[in-house]
Every structure is written in structure tokens, then in C-alpha cells.
DNA sequence: TAACCGATATACT
DNA sequence: GTATATCGGTTAA
């Protein structure tokens, strides 16, 4: 394997700590065409049953959210319009918490990433959003429920960020006070961090 | 920066 | 059958 996956114990820490610990780590996806990877530079925590913005609010358990109730270290993918988004399942068994990976900085497989996202001219715009990085790394619904400790999709140690910032999450307007929780984390100054789409999200 | 729209799985009635 | 969503790209100003 190109990189050494982190052990499952890495995921067994409080969700907000894990969200910060994931920053700087390397997300790797192997595919028939080759491996592609990128450093995680932005994450968002979703705090399960008590979080209005989480799919698992109120312990809502459906076929889609089922994997959030699994133990930490599983992959939760779901479709949003034409895009796939990817989360890392966090929290102990039956505690449906998760961390959305919002942006990465490309590392391996630059050619693959470029060809998968060839319509986008600027390199920085190829992986600076949750739906973009999944297309760049070829993460799909097939990855739903997989473990992040083994191929073809896993996370390895990367670098330690200089500085981490936090703020309100993105894209969750009609969910009551949950939208103000500072559960979004990013590496300060990194050019691949996604821009907030609307000023009202910043408040 | 704002507005608009694409094009789809999933949940709910 | 209908509503809605952890979004992205394009257009226009």
C-alpha cells in the first residue's frame, strides 16, 4: 500500500477532537486507475441525536443513516443532488455522530485528479468542497459502510497543522440554533479550504 | 455576491 | 407521488 492506514483506535476519541485530529491527515482512495489522495484541510462535526443539523437527529434511524450508528472509523457516503459527500463515522456503537470531510489538498494521483475534474480550470477549485473532493478521489456510494483502516479507502498520518480555526457550519440554514454551533474546523490559511457560499452562513 | 438551476437518492405522505 | 437535501457550476451584474 502507498501509505500506512491509521489504526481504528485513532477514531475512538470524542467527535470534536477527532474532527480536529483529522486535519492534516491523508485521505487515500485506491481505484483501478490508480491511487489518489489529499490532505484533509477542513471538517465539520455532526453531533448525533442532539444536533438538529445531523441526519441522525433524534436518533432517526433509516437505511441511509444506519451506518452512523456503527462504531467509529466507518465511511458514511450519501448523495446530494448530483454529488456524493463523505463522512467519517465517529462516536461509540449506537451513538450516531459523524464528521464531514469538506476539503482536501491534493497529494498523490495529481494526474487522476486532474482528469476526473478536467472541466474545472483552476487546480484549487478541484478539491475545495465536499462534493468536489469525492469526484476527485472517486469516492462513491460503493464506499458506504467500508472501514477506513484498509484499502481501497483509508486515512493515514500526514502533517500537523500550524493553526486550526473553527466557526459555524455551512449549508444548514433551516435547522434552528444548530446552525450557529462552531463545529466547522479548518487549517488556518490553507488555500484549499472551501469558501462559505453565502454571507448569512458567517453571521 | 446573488440568483438560478441542474438532475437524483432518500424519506415521508 | 412529492418534497427536500452537509452542493457545484454558470450567469449576470
Amino acid at each position: 500500500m502507498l501509505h500506512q492506514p491509521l489504526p481504528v483506535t485513532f477514531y475512538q476519541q470524542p467527535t470534536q477532537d477527532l474532527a480536529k485530529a483529522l486535519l492534516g491527515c491523508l485521505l487515500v482512495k485506491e481505484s483501478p486507475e490508480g491511487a489518489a489522495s489529499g490532505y484533509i484541510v477542513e471538517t465539520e462535526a455532526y453531533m448525533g441525536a442532539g444536533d438538529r443539523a445531523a441526519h441522525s437527529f433524534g436518533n432517526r434511524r433509516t437505511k441511509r443513516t444506519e451506518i452512523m450508528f456503527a462504531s467509529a472509523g466507518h465511511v458514511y457516503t450519501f448523495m446530494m443532488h448530483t454529488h456524493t459527500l463523505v463522512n467519517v463515522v465517529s462516536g461509540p456503537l449506537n451513538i450516531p455522530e459523524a464528521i464531514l470531510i469538506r476539503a482536501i489538498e491534493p497529494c498523490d494521483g495529481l494526474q487522476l485528479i486532474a482528469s476526473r475534474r478536467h472541466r474545472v480550470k483552476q487546480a484549487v477549485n478541484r478539491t475545495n468542497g465536499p462534493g468536489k473532493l469525492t469526484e476527485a478521489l472517486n469516492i462513491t456510494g460503493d464506499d458506504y459502510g467500508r472501514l477506513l483502516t484498509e484499502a481501497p479507502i483509508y486515512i493515514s498520518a500526514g502533517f500537523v497543522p500550524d493553526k486550526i480555526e473553527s466557526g459555524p457550519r455551512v449549508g444548514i440554514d433551516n435547522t434552528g440554533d444548530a446552525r450557529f454551533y462552531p463545529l466547522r474546523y479548518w487549517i488556518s490559511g490553507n488555500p484549499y479550504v472551501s469558501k462559505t457560499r453565502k454571507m448569512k452562513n458567517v453571521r
Side-chain angles (χ1 to χ4, degrees):
Chain A
M1 247 185 280
L2 199 55
H3 301 276
Q4 181 63 39
L6 287 164
V8 69
T9 50
F10 170 75
Y11 301 95
Q12 296 165 355
Q13 55 179 310
T15 296
Q16 289 169 67
D17 293 342
L18 180 56
K20 283 180 276 193
L22 283 170
L23 294 174
C25 289
L26 193 63
L27 175 65
V28 186
K29 176 66 196 282
E30 296 178 357
S31 69
E33 310 103 284
S37 72
Y39 296 104
I40 298 168
V41 297
E42 182 179 357
T43 59
E44 275 178 12
Y46 285 83
M47 302 303 291
D51 184 351
R52 284 292 296 265
H55 292 155
S56 54
F57 174 67
N59 280 322
R60 190 165 62 121
R61 189 164 192 155
T62 66
K63 188 176 180 182
R64 182 175 70 158
T65 63
E66 181 65 31
I67 197 64
M68 293 181 76
F69 292 81
S71 57
H74 285 82
V75 179
Y76 172 35
T77 57
F78 70 96
M79 296 308 233
M80 170 63 183
H81 286 63
T82 56
H83 305 281
T84 302
L85 275 61
V86 61
N87 290 249
V88 175
V89 174
S90 178
L93 194 63
N94 291 324
I95 304 296
E97 299 179 350
I99 297 160
L100 171 67
I101 298 177
R102 285 198 57 86
I104 62 171
E105 176 178 339
C107 177
D108 303 301
L110 298 182
Q111 289 297 326
L112 269 177
I113 290 172
S115 66
R116 287 167 179 157
R117 302 271 304 147
H118 63 90
R119 295 182 304 281
V120 177
K121 293 166 187 165
Q122 303 225 10
V124 70
N125 284 358
R126 290 180 179 143
T127 60
N128 66 343
K132 302 180 186 182
L133 71 91
T134 55
E135 188 177 351
L137 296 190
N138 194 34
I139 294 171
T140 70
D142 289 343
D143 293 306
Y144 180 96
R146 280 182 174 153
L147 270 171
L148 283 164
T149 51
E150 57 191 27
I153 183 169
Y154 54 93
I155 291 175
S156 300
F159 62 92
V160 177
D162 294 330
K163 187 179 170 193
I164 294 172
E165 294 186 72
S166 67
R169 290 174 294 186
V170 177
I172 49 171
D173 285 345
N174 289 330
T175 47
D177 291 337
R179 87 183 106 162
F180 301 119
Y181 301 164
L183 294 176
R184 177 183 177 221
Y185 305 96
W186 66 93
I187 295 178
S188 182
N190 188 290
Y192 290 89
V193 171
S194 71
K195 308 298 179 270
T196 53
R197 302 199 312 138
K198 296 177 181 176
M199 287 308 289
K200 64 182 172 185
N201 285 328
V202 178
R203 290 283 287 237

